Amino acid sequence: MLNDKVVFKESTIQLSHGAGGKASRKLIEGLVAPYLKVNELNDAAYVQAENAKIAFTSDSFVVSPLKFPGGSIGELAINGTVNDLAMGGAKPLAIVSTLIIEAGLETAILEEEIKAMGEAANKANVSIVGGDTKVVEHQKADQLFITTAGIGLVDPRVNLCAKRVKQGDKVILSGPIGDHGITILLARGELDLEADIKSDTRSVWPFVKKLIDVAAPGLKWMRDPTRGGMATALNELARDAKVSIVLEEEAIKVRPEVRGACEILGLDPLHIANEGQFIAVVSEEYAEEALKAIQEVPGGELATIIGEVQESDRHIVLSRSSYGGTRAIDMLVGDPLPRIC
Amino acid sequence: MLNDKVVFKESTIQLSHGAGGKASRKLIEGLVAPYLKVNELNDAAYVQAENAKIAFTSDSFVVSPLKFPGGSIGELAINGTVNDLAMGGAKPLAIVSTLIIEAGLETAILEEEIKAMGEAANKANVSIVGGDTKVVEHQKADQLFITTAGIGLVDPRVNLCAKRVKQGDKVILSGPIGDHGITILLARGELDLEADIKSDTRSVWPFVKKLIDVAAPGLKWMRDPTRGGMATALNELARDAKVSIVLEEEAIKVRPEVRGACEILGLDPLHIANEGQFIAVVSEEYAEEALKAIQEVPGGELATIIGEVQESDRHIVLSRSSYGGTRAIDMLVGDPLPRIC
């Protein structure tokens, strides 16, 4: 639930307002929600159309650079929207996409991205059914922005709602975190750092489909931790569900290259964006089956249970190290890595 | 139907490729369609979800200036998507919107546009159910770009298809043309021209709803002539339906201020964008009732029958003057008025 008492006091919009963390939430609560009656910050909204429950979502992609190890803006634009639908428990049905192009963009660059969109859509088994193209003057955009919207059919077995999240529920993470954000950062070449990592961009629907098949009654909440990372997603859950989340630090997989880059840059991997991972909160009863289901889908082998839900008056996220110490994990503040998606 | 033999030969993308005319069509046919399997250039695509036939559409808005007499980018973004759904014979159900904001934009400007979106959505009786916000660095965008996507429920009485358009069908236009494009042009203040006109931005769903109620069996094709204007929309119809369209020049209403500006600038009002008008092709049998239905809705008083469909091997648009002469009306070539929506 959004806090409707927030007042947005900044006189101008800054990069941090698009970073997906605290400042973004303030912008939505203080400036968007009062006029548009948005109630929740879910990845996908539900709309009833005759007997079909439709999930409906949209995302703009402004990633810089357009291409990076493991993916590109076109691929991201498809997978990002497919994943938002999946997080709503919906089988992706169709996508519409719009392009905002800076005049002077090389046709070859545009062609590669359109091709990447087509391939990603094929791979995710979703159709791109329409769209729009706008061209703006040179230096009035940055090469190419892509916006995609998607609709999906919500699986009738699914009932996702933060309010169902209770003491003892388990938090499952689909794989290692931070790959996407750090890949983009290194791809910019502004830092004297190199590492053999690539973006994790992919459709997570195959995992979610399996998860629904085996654990739908116990499946309570899902989120793909993109901008703002795991820390922001779980803090939003803690706040919306009025619970605390206790993470086991050792269970959260971070590749050594990502950990190394984060240490050098003073970043927390929990704040770094992912594009092919998701978090699922599942009742204790279904947790082991749910985990196994994800692990059995190719690419899900590294899924783990990373923590659990605790009743608490403090709606926070705690991380417990193997030495027994715990630290509070806050939402992302500021924007250390702008334009990662 | 798109021509799949078109090859896109330009090495860079230019403003004209976003203008909605010939160059846009070439970009779609030569570069987008081959990868994304887009089949038609309709305003909205149809997706079946259980027993619901859903219309699904998306548009990006990059209009400059953001505010102009009669409207603003926020209002345009809602009405544009509502109108695309209406053109698909669909009652608008829900909208998602994404904002791409240039860092440094004044909060007051953003707030006004969010407010305009909310008001336009209220007026059009459609909910904004979600969205996304991205912020890019200063000078990497032009203040604010808005993308909206919409879903609507297709009225089961409707069967819109260019192939149903036949000899003798009547072409109905909902009101005077050119107001929007000329308003934007004058609002830029680059020309030493002033005129008392304002954008025609509005939801056309109330007209379409009435039209469906009284003339659904005879209603064959609809289009809102935005970028590229009436001339482009009707040329696309002529091509898709393999017919000619013969217009009665005198029946097409153009306000004197718009006609005057067009004469000074060497533009044809038929090429100028509209945001609150639409063209409907209706069988002769239903044409009079259809016209009356539109005229009875407030704001539709100036609707007229502007021409008819003729069988022909030349798939062109002709305009007949009151003196008896006819001239061929081509699609828009180039982009005399960039960024009008």
Side-chain angles (χ1 to χ4, degrees):
Chain A
M1 272 298 151
L2 296 176
N3 181 346
D4 58 7
K5 290 185 190 76
V6 171
V7 179
F8 188 81
K9 289 179 191 146
E10 311 281 333
S11 66
T12 61
I13 306 300
Q14 300 303 329
L15 285 172
S16 62
H17 295 119
K22 270 196 178 167
S24 290
R25 191 163 177 124
K26 203 166 259 184
L27 176 74
I28 303 297
E29 290 182 331
L31 206 65
V32 177
Y35 296 112
L36 304 191
K37 298 177 198 150
V38 179
N39 287 319
E40 294 201 38
L41 281 174
N42 288 328
D43 286 326
Y46 295 132
V47 181
Q48 192 70 33
E50 305 284 357
N51 69 347
K53 187 173 178 186
I54 302 285
F56 188 22
T57 187
S58 187
D59 265 313
S60 284
F61 294 85
V62 300
V63 65
S64 168
L66 297 181
K67 289 193 68 155
F68 43 83
S72 68
I73 190 171
E75 197 177 347
L76 224 54
I78 300 301
N79 289 340
T81 282
V82 163
N83 291 349
D84 281 350
L85 294 173
M87 293 302 95
K91 177 182 156 60
L93 282 180
I95 283 179
V96 288
S97 72
T98 69
L99 310 172
I100 297 175
I101 306 170
E102 182 185 6
L105 180 71
E106 282 175 41
T107 300
I109 293 176
L110 180 63
E111 185 165 10
E112 270 195 72
E113 293 315 320
I114 293 172
K115 198 176 162 190
M117 292 175 78
E119 286 172 358
N122 268 346
K123 215 165 159 180
N125 198 21
V126 62
S127 300
I128 301 173
V129 296
D132 181 33
T133 304
K134 292 279 163 36
V135 183
V136 299
E137 296 85 349
H138 185 53
Q139 297 188 323
K140 297 292 186 184
D142 194 6
Q143 293 194 293
L144 175 64
F145 302 143
I146 303 179
T147 300
T148 47
I151 56 174
L153 194 59
V154 179
D155 191 298
R157 294 168 291 179
V158 162
N159 177 13
L160 298 167
C161 177
K163 289 201 182 64
R164 287 181 62 216
V165 171
K166 298 285 175 225
Q167 161 101 14
D169 289 347
K170 302 296 181 188
V171 181
I172 300 176
L173 174 62
S174 62
I177 59 167
D179 292 10
H180 179 74
I182 297 299
T183 298
I184 299 297
L185 185 71
L186 299 184
R188 285 185 196 151
E190 292 160 3
L191 301 166
D192 197 14
L193 266 181
E194 277 186 40
D196 186 23
I197 52 168
K198 58 186 178 108
S199 168
D200 60 354
T201 178
R202 60 178 176 178
S203 158
V204 300
W205 171 245
F207 306 106
V208 174
K209 185 180 180 299
K210 196 76 189 293
L211 190 57
I212 293 172
D213 283 342
V214 307
L219 183 60
K220 299 182 173 185
W221 186 88
M222 288 190 285
R223 185 69 60 92
D224 60 333
T226 56
R227 283 176 300 166
M230 284 257 299
T232 302
L234 288 175
N235 268 285
E236 290 190 347
L237 171 61
R239 189 171 153 167
D240 292 347
K242 301 189 197 306
V243 296
S244 281
I245 315 283
V246 181
L247 304 175
E248 302 298 333
E249 205 154 308
E250 291 218 324
I252 301 170
K253 296 210 167 63
V254 182
R255 294 187 206 281
E257 298 85 351
V258 171
R259 194 178 294 283
C262 282
E263 273 168 18
I264 291 168
L265 299 164
L267 298 170
D268 186 334
L270 291 167
H271 284 139
I272 307 295
N274 313 280
E275 287 290 336
Q277 305 304 338
F278 70 101
I279 311 165
V281 175
V282 179
S283 68
E284 200 176 352
E285 186 190 353
Y286 282 93
E288 282 302 329
E289 272 178 273
L291 178 65
K292 228 179 94 195
I294 297 172
Q295 287 173 336
E296 279 172 8
V297 178
E301 300 80 4
L302 298 179
T304 46
I305 293 176
I306 59 165
E308 65 171 30
V309 174
Q310 289 194 352
E311 245 172 63
S312 164
D313 290 338
R314 296 163 68 211
H315 309 143
I316 57 171
V317 179
L318 293 166
S319 181
R320 192 153 55 190
S321 79
S322 52
Y323 312 110
T326 60
R327 61 179 180 119
I329 307 287
D330 202 0
M331 288 174 85
L332 176 68
V333 177
D335 191 1
L337 308 176
R339 295 180 62 190
I340 49 78
C341 65
Chain B
M1 274 297 151
L2 296 177
N3 182 347
D4 58 8
K5 290 185 191 75
V6 170
V7 178
F8 188 81
K9 288 180 191 146
E10 312 282 332
S11 66
T12 61
I13 307 300
Q14 300 303 330
L15 285 171
S16 61
H17 295 120
K22 271 195 175 165
S24 289
R25 191 162 177 123
K26 203 167 259 183
L27 177 75
I28 303 297
E29 289 181 332
L31 207 64
V32 177
Y35 295 112
L36 304 191
K37 297 177 197 149
V38 178
N39 287 319
E40 293 201 38
L41 281 174
N42 288 330
D43 286 326
Y46 295 132
V47 181
Q48 192 71 34
E50 304 285 356
N51 69 347
K53 187 174 179 186
I54 302 285
F56 188 21
T57 187
S58 187
D59 265 313
S60 284
F61 294 84
V62 299
V63 65
S64 169
L66 296 181
K67 289 193 67 156
F68 43 82
S72 68
I73 189 171
E75 195 177 349
L76 224 53
I78 300 301
N79 289 340
T81 282
V82 163
N83 290 350
D84 281 351
L85 294 173
M87 294 300 97
K91 178 181 157 58
L93 283 181
I95 283 180
V96 287
S97 73
T98 70
L99 310 172
I100 297 176
I101 305 170
E102 181 185 7
L105 180 72
E106 281 174 43
T107 300
I109 294 176
L110 180 62
E111 184 166 10
E112 270 196 72
E113 293 315 320
I114 293 172
K115 196 175 163 191
M117 291 174 77
E119 287 172 356
N122 268 345
K123 214 165 160 180
N125 197 21
V126 62
S127 301
I128 301 173
V129 295
D132 181 33
T133 305
K134 292 281 168 25
V135 183
V136 300
E137 296 87 347
H138 185 53
Q139 298 190 321
K140 297 292 187 183
D142 195 6
Q143 294 194 294
L144 175 64
F145 301 143
I146 303 180
T147 300
T148 46
I151 55 175
L153 193 60
V154 179
D155 192 297
R157 294 168 290 179
V158 161
N159 176 14
L160 297 167
C161 177
K163 288 201 181 66
R164 286 181 63 215
V165 170
K166 298 287 175 224
Q167 161 100 18
D169 289 346
K170 301 295 181 189
V171 181
I172 300 175
L173 174 62
S174 62
I177 60 167
D179 292 8
H180 179 74
I182 296 299
T183 298
I184 299 296
L185 186 70
L186 299 184
R188 285 187 195 150
E190 291 160 3
L191 301 166
D192 197 15
L193 266 181
E194 278 185 40
D196 185 23
I197 52 168
K198 59 187 176 105
S199 168
D200 59 355
T201 179
R202 61 177 176 179
S203 157
V204 300
W205 171 244
F207 306 105
V208 173
K209 184 179 179 303
K210 195 78 189 290
L211 190 56
I212 293 172
D213 284 343
V214 307
L219 183 60
K220 300 182 172 183
W221 186 88
M222 286 190 286
R223 185 68 61 89
D224 60 331
T226 56
R227 283 175 300 168
M230 283 258 299
T232 302
L234 289 175
N235 268 284
E236 290 190 347
L237 171 62
R239 188 171 152 168
D240 292 348
K242 301 188 196 307
V243 297
S244 282
I245 316 283
V246 182
L247 303 176
E248 301 298 333
E249 205 154 307
E250 291 217 325
I252 301 170
K253 296 211 166 63
V254 183
R255 294 187 206 280
E257 298 83 352
V258 171
R259 193 179 295 283
C262 283
E263 273 169 16
I264 290 167
L265 299 164
L267 299 170
D268 187 333
L270 291 167
H271 285 139
I272 307 295
N274 312 280
E275 287 290 336
Q277 305 303 338
F278 69 101
I279 312 165
V281 175
V282 180
S283 68
E284 199 175 351
E285 187 188 353
Y286 282 92
E288 283 301 329
E289 271 177 273
L291 178 65
K292 227 178 97 195
I294 297 172
Q295 287 173 337
E296 279 171 7
V297 178
E301 299 80 5
L302 297 180
T304 45
I305 293 175
I306 59 165
E308 66 172 30
V309 175
Q310 289 194 352
E311 246 172 64
S312 164
D313 290 338
R314 296 163 68 211
H315 308 144
I316 57 172
V317 179
L318 293 167
S319 180
R320 193 153 53 191
S321 79
S322 53
Y323 312 112
T326 60
R327 61 180 180 118
I329 307 287
D330 202 0
M331 288 173 86
L332 177 68
V333 177
D335 191 1
L337 309 176
R339 296 178 62 190
I340 49 78
C341 65

